[in-house]
Amino acid sequence: MFGTQSKRDLSLEFQSQIQILRPSIHARRANLTVKFQDLYGFTVEGNVDDVNVLNEVREKVRQQGRVWWSLEANKGANWYLQTSISEGNLKSSLKFSALANAITLKKLIRKGIPPVLRPKVWFSLSGAAKKKSTAPESYYDDLIKATEGKVTPATRQIDHDLPRTFPGHPWLDTPEGHAALRRVLVGYSFRDSDVGYCQGLNYVAALLLLVMKTEEDAFWMLAVLLENVLVNDCYTNNLSGCHVEQRVFKEFLDKKCPRIAAHLEAMEFDVSLVATEWFLCLFSKSLPSETTLRVWDVLFYEGAKVLFHVALAIFKMKEDELLITHHVGDVISILQKTTHHLFDPDELLTVAFDQIGSMTTNTISKQRKKQEPAVMKELDQRVRRLNSLKLDEK
């Protein structure tokens, strides 16, 4: 796609994607709920205020696109790859240039990657391109051929989940879309038998397919996500990694949002009731797709710490409302309504990075190590109880 198009062609394609939404006069007067398709084909429901927010966001995306085109014109098409400063033999001027690129890139990515550039930027910066380059050229095709017709518990679960993955989407919810998603998921289940398939990956892989355009690129993005970006064992049978992340998240909620944490604890509300889906589906089932992909822009560059920043930001944004709740159902309702109508990714990411405060990868790693023993003990006790019940039944 990118090898044959000029920068002007790409710019024109980009501009044509970002359409202005215009609700009817009747809808504007009555402030009715309106339905429209977003950039990735999902049907979105919102009121006129939501539409206005989306239009403002899309105008910012256009402006951001012009910044990327300008940088490509001045620094070259792959300038964002020239950010490494670890080589000892680099001249000081080149080191400064690389550092400047790295600082510029971090700021740009937090403001959003233009949709038309997203596939190649993700593929390069996430490590997927490097991972693919270490495998034989025909790796994906050979894997799909080798797994064709094979039936496993993973393939049966995948087949069960395909029609439930973004139902109603104009491409994903078609025989062609189901087949493509199935190949990616089945292929990966054979690549990593420890993971196999876990519910939640269907939503992640589906969104990757929509962004990356090709099955093979979506497959390698899924591989780098599970093998390099996210914590180990997040999607294994016992979900031990996910349980660890939930405990770590609770710790950070206590530190970063102490009033909310204290109030929810008094209500005996377990934050994993909402946060488990956020972490397993990487917000793809909760946030509007255009907002989700802005989160993923940062995720693929800065790593899994982004998930904690965003999850905390959602709680922080609704602090006042959450503090006056008295029932668990009210908390869930507020959070679900908030996420479903978070059409402004800049608002979310500003809170996530400017108000939540710093959380280094090293700090998160230490918290994970602290929580792991308790999680493994809990999972072991669960297995023992299940085995005991099976013996009693016999």
Side-chain angles (χ1 to χ4, degrees):
M1 175 181 176
F2 297 99
T4 58
Q5 286 179 288
S6 69
K7 290 174 185 173
R8 176 174 171 77
D9 291 336
L10 282 171
S11 181
L12 289 172
E13 178 185 338
F14 167 67
Q15 297 295 341
S16 67
Q17 285 185 356
I18 315 296
Q19 298 177 353
I20 294 294
L21 303 169
R22 294 185 173 87
S24 68
I25 293 174
H26 174 69
R28 290 199 298 271
R29 286 175 177 170
N31 200 28
L32 299 176
T33 297
V34 292
K35 290 185 178 182
F36 48 89
Q37 275 196 349
D38 67 12
L39 295 181
Y40 292 90
F42 292 97
T43 299
V44 180
E45 289 189 16
N47 58 32
V48 177
D49 288 338
D50 293 327
V51 172
N52 290 335
V53 168
L54 262 176
N55 282 333
E56 290 174 8
V57 168
R58 291 183 178 184
E59 179 55 36
K60 290 179 184 177
V61 171
R62 282 192 197 84
Q63 294 170 7
Q64 189 70 358
R66 288 192 280 270
V67 174
W68 281 80
W69 306 132
S70 175
L71 283 166
E72 289 210 349
N74 293 327
K75 297 188 176 188
N78 295 320
W79 69 271
Y80 49 83
L81 297 180
Q82 300 162 17
T83 56
S84 175
I85 56 175
S86 59
E87 293 84 351
N89 61 348
L90 279 178
K91 293 180 180 179
S92 58
S93 60
L94 292 178
K95 285 185 179 180
F96 180 79
S97 177
L99 180 60
N101 281 353
I103 294 170
T104 300
L105 184 59
K106 184 175 181 178
K107 290 180 178 178
L108 275 179
I109 286 177
R110 287 189 178 186
K111 290 182 178 179
I113 301 169
V116 74
L117 291 179
R118 194 168 265 146
K120 74 165 186 174
V121 175
W122 277 11
F123 205 65
S124 299
L125 294 180
S126 66
K130 184 177 181 180
K131 187 176 286 288
K132 180 183 177 182
S133 71
T134 63
E137 189 174 344
S138 60
Y139 179 91
Y140 180 70
D141 290 337
D142 293 343
L143 180 64
I144 299 308
K145 289 175 184 175
T147 58
E148 191 172 348
K150 291 190 175 181
V151 178
T152 66
T155 64
R156 284 193 288 268
Q157 187 62 55
I158 289 168
D159 289 334
H160 180 69
D161 287 346
L162 288 175
R164 303 192 300 178
T165 307
F166 297 126
H169 187 275
W171 182 74
L172 288 171
D173 195 14
T174 65
E176 181 187 0
H178 287 171
L181 180 57
R182 186 183 193 279
R183 285 189 290 269
V184 170
L185 291 171
V186 169
Y188 193 80
S189 75
F190 280 89
R191 173 182 169 87
D192 188 342
S193 57
D194 289 336
V195 170
Y197 170 73
C198 173
Q199 287 177 306
L201 289 180
N202 50 324
Y203 296 99
V204 174
L207 210 47
L208 286 173
L209 271 171
L210 292 179
V211 174
M212 301 308 296
K213 310 299 183 186
T214 72
E215 285 179 38
E216 187 172 6
D217 285 355
F219 171 84
W220 287 111
M221 287 298 299
L222 184 64
V224 82
L225 185 65
L226 299 183
E227 296 164 18
N228 302 95
V229 178
L230 300 178
V231 67
N232 291 335
D233 300 329
C234 233
Y235 295 94
T236 49
N237 285 336
N238 63 4
L239 297 177
S240 60
C242 184
H243 289 299
V244 170
E245 297 293 78
Q246 293 306 302
R247 282 176 171 264
V248 173
F249 176 63
K250 290 175 187 175
E251 286 287 320
F252 281 124
L253 190 68
D254 287 341
K255 292 178 181 178
K256 303 289 185 178
C257 306
R259 294 174 66 209
I260 297 175
H263 180 72
L264 295 180
E265 187 175 350
M267 290 174 60
E268 298 184 346
F269 177 81
D270 186 351
V271 294
S272 65
L273 286 172
V274 291
T276 297
E277 182 181 278
W278 294 352
F279 279 75
L280 280 179
C281 300
L282 308 181
F283 299 100
S284 60
K285 276 189 72 179
S286 309
L287 297 173
S289 71
E290 294 179 47
T291 303
T292 299
L293 297 179
R294 283 285 302 278
V295 172
W296 288 15
D297 285 346
V298 192
L299 172 68
F300 285 124
Y301 187 58
E302 298 189 34
K305 68 174 186 177
V306 171
L307 301 178
F308 293 98
H309 277 277
V310 172
L312 289 168
I314 293 169
F315 277 90
K316 186 69 174 176
M317 291 169 74
K318 290 296 170 180
E319 180 169 13
D320 291 342
E321 288 185 43
L322 291 171
L323 289 176
I324 60 173
T325 55
H326 299 287
H327 304 288
V328 168
D330 294 334
V331 176
I332 294 174
S333 177
I334 288 169
L335 293 173
Q336 286 182 341
K337 184 178 178 181
T338 299
T339 52
H340 291 163
H341 290 270
L342 255 173
F343 295 110
D344 186 352
D346 290 316
E347 180 187 10
L348 174 63
L349 294 177
T350 296
V351 175
F353 294 111
D354 294 347
Q355 295 185 29
I356 294 302
S358 175
M359 286 187 290
T360 65
T361 300
N362 187 45
T363 301
I364 294 171
S365 296
K366 286 180 180 178
Q367 280 291 339
R368 285 171 179 152
K369 288 180 181 178
K370 176 184 172 183
Q371 299 296 337
E372 278 173 7
V375 167
M376 298 313 295
K377 182 180 179 181
E378 193 175 276
L379 292 174
D380 183 59
Q381 289 174 345
R382 187 181 300 175
V383 170
R384 290 174 184 272
R385 284 197 300 270
L386 287 173
N387 289 339
S388 177
L389 288 171
K390 288 177 183 178
L391 287 173
D392 290 344
E393 288 175 1
K394 290 180 181 180

